[in-house]
Amino acid sequence: MSDASDGCAQPRTVTEAEVDALVRGICFKTGPPRRLGVEVEWLVHDLRDPRLPVSPERLAAAHAAVRTVPLRSALTVEPGGQLELSSPPAASLMECVGTVAADLDAVRAVLRRDGLVLAGLGHDPWRTPPRFLREPRYDAMEDCLDRGGPAGRAMMRASASVQVCLDAGYEEPGPLGHVRRWWLAHRLGPVLVAVFANSPFADGRPTGWLSTRQLRWEQIGTGRAGGPALDTDPRAAWARHVLDSPVMCVRDDGGPWQVPRDLTFREWIRTSAPRPPTREDLDYHATTLFPPVRPRGHLELRMIDAQPGDDGWIVPLAVTTALFDDPEATETAYRAVKPLAERTHGLPAPHNALWRDAARVGLADPELREVAACCFAAALRALPRLGAGREVVDAVEAYRDRYVARGRCPADDLLETLRATAGGRPRHHSPHGKDTPS
């Protein structure tokens, strides 16, 4: 969901107290839950054979052509050449679906003329592409993440997701209050990981995880991809997290950006080295933190793999919206996920056993399967109350019957094609979901 950061006319340094106040005021903007959005990321593959690499020149030409198309959603390019559409804030689920679906149709038509297709996969099954974007931000990000191993590069270049954006909620307590919604997002998160896992391959082989994308986020580590401890004050928890998280880079308009080691934003304020941090540095620092739930005025749920098919993204958007914005469904989901908290052992998401089990085995986990079934039933009851069209309700119902009721997820379909293919390497999928033998 596109949003703009507040800025200052003149850069000035910030104190710890100012950071705490700014983060509390900016990241949780409370009010009635009435706006939502979605950010859909896609891998870009060759239309005839997605196993073939797409050259940077071909990607650049395709991106330039897409940018000539009038869109209501914001179009951005990710470091590996993935395309992302970020919807404008919508007043209803159907408004959001209609806007993004129309924009995707326009984008696909342009790409198809160039022999390319948007691929709904959480992680590229065949390769980690070379970095497409050469910008100071991504140079610094890659240098920083490389210190922890190859997972960072895979996340930057080979992953794609469906990110659902929801209002933070009411200031007051209750099912739609911001404290409850913050807690629910973290406890429902692993259920969404398990239900929509769609990335069992990397480098042409099974990884042993149904959501390899989520595995990569865990491997990046707690400082960059972890969330704060859950307590009764989300604002205070997030403010501490922002201050105590490592700085990815110190920007420099006149040269390469510095990538410090083990420098938290709090330490940067206290030492003023290599230079005092400004309000703009704080705003930027917050964009370099990648927890599964990120507060940006609204709540950004980042744990869902990109989905198969042209319209697969609609199901996680609809289900998540229903479970957060319909009071009855929210209460049902809250009660259903509450017992899952014991499996986290008090550790923040996603670096705990519950999130790992969700990404590794999905709905083969009996407890996650039971909770998912309860949540889908609640969502299906709620969607008509939220004005969802028959086609959206039917899509959610079909997904429940095909996957949730059977303890499966899209990754299981991909693994079945592997077992049916001699040589043990994944088949590739057409944009219409039909398998083509390797």
Side-chain angles (χ1 to χ4, degrees):
M1 183 160 57
S2 304
D3 62 354
S5 298
D6 296 330
C8 298
Q10 296 295 328
R12 68 177 187 85
T13 59
V14 290
T15 66
E16 290 180 53
E18 287 172 331
V19 169
D20 182 83
L22 286 167
V23 171
R24 286 170 178 258
I26 292 171
C27 293
F28 288 88
K29 296 177 180 177
T30 54
R34 60 189 179 199
R35 308 288 279 180
L36 67 142
V38 68
E39 301 175 15
V40 285
E41 295 176 335
W42 303 85
L43 305 176
V44 180
H45 282 166
D46 184 274
L47 177 61
R48 292 187 177 182
D49 188 348
R51 296 166 299 183
L52 296 176
V54 180
S55 71
E57 295 78 14
R58 192 177 175 196
L59 274 177
H63 294 158
V66 168
R67 286 196 176 95
T68 66
V69 178
L71 303 171
R72 290 193 60 200
S73 303
L75 175 72
T76 53
V77 179
E78 297 299 306
Q82 310 100 307
L83 283 180
E84 178 182 271
L85 287 179
S86 300
S87 73
S92 70
L93 173 63
M94 295 310 296
E95 178 186 328
C96 185
V97 168
T99 296
V100 177
D103 287 345
L104 282 169
D105 285 345
V107 169
R108 287 192 180 97
V110 172
L111 292 177
R112 195 175 297 113
R113 291 198 295 267
D114 293 327
L116 298 172
V117 66
L118 297 178
L121 295 162
H123 192 281
D124 194 300
W126 294 284
R127 71 191 66 81
T128 296
R131 184 150 61 91
F132 175 74
L133 294 181
R134 295 290 170 182
E135 300 173 4
R137 170 182 172 89
Y138 297 116
D139 292 344
M141 183 182 293
E142 192 163 89
D143 287 347
C144 176
L145 295 178
D146 277 351
R147 294 170 181 171
R153 290 193 176 204
M155 177 277 293
M156 291 174 65
R157 305 178 186 182
S159 69
S161 68
V162 176
Q163 298 178 17
V164 179
C165 301
L166 301 161
D167 280 340
Y170 286 102
E171 189 68 26
E172 298 79 11
L176 301 183
H178 74 283
V179 175
R180 173 74 70 86
R181 286 163 77 86
W182 177 249
W183 188 94
L184 179 61
H186 286 84
R187 293 294 180 248
L188 185 63
V191 181
L192 298 175
V193 170
V195 168
F196 297 112
N198 186 38
S199 52
F201 297 115
D203 299 319
R205 295 177 177 82
T207 63
W209 293 66
L210 296 181
S211 178
T212 301
R213 175 183 171 274
Q214 187 60 46
L215 169 64
R216 297 294 182 245
W217 282 115
E218 182 185 345
Q219 291 171 331
I220 287 171
T222 58
R224 188 65 50 201
L230 291 183
D231 59 27
T232 57
D233 187 351
R235 289 189 177 98
W238 183 248
R240 288 194 303 270
H241 186 72
V242 170
L243 278 164
D244 293 330
S245 293
V247 173
M248 176 176 284
C249 56
V250 177
R251 296 175 295 167
D252 185 346
D253 293 337
W257 295 4
Q258 297 183 52
V259 183
R261 284 187 178 272
D262 303 321
L263 175 70
T264 67
F265 203 87
R266 191 187 301 276
E267 291 166 338
W268 190 9
I269 292 172
R270 292 178 177 180
T271 63
S272 295
R275 60 167 175 76
T278 66
R279 165 67 188 278
E280 288 74 19
D281 291 319
L282 170 63
D283 293 341
Y284 187 83
H285 171 62
T287 71
T288 68
L289 304 179
F290 308 114
V293 183
R294 186 165 65 176
R296 302 187 65 190
H298 55 273
L299 299 183
E300 184 180 83
L301 278 64
R302 303 169 47 85
M303 71 289 295
I304 302 169
D305 279 359
Q307 294 297 289
D310 288 355
D311 300 323
W313 57 275
I314 294 175
V315 174
L317 170 63
V319 170
T320 307
T321 300
L323 295 178
F324 276 82
D325 286 358
D326 180 84
E328 182 180 323
T330 295
E331 192 63 33
T332 299
Y334 174 77
R335 291 196 301 268
V337 302
K338 198 170 183 179
L340 296 176
E342 296 180 5
R343 293 173 58 177
T344 69
H345 302 292
L347 297 174
H351 299 89
N352 61 55
L354 175 62
W355 283 76
R356 291 189 192 103
D357 289 344
R360 187 171 55 85
V361 302
L363 296 185
D365 182 296
E367 190 174 21
L368 287 171
R369 179 179 178 178
E370 181 180 353
V371 172
C374 178
C375 288
F376 262 70
L380 281 165
R381 291 192 297 270
L383 283 170
R385 295 193 292 265
L386 295 176
R390 187 68 246 173
E391 67 279 12
V392 170
V393 176
D394 288 347
V396 173
E397 194 169 51
Y399 194 98
R400 179 201 59 186
D401 294 344
R402 178 173 180 176
Y403 294 117
V404 179
R406 300 167 64 198
R408 292 171 57 85
C409 62
D412 291 307
D413 292 348
L414 296 173
L415 288 167
E416 280 190 355
T417 69
L418 171 69
R419 289 189 287 269
T421 304
R425 297 182 70 82
R427 296 180 176 188
H428 70 263
H429 291 256
S430 80
H432 304 294
K434 297 179 180 179
D435 301 327
T436 305
S438 299

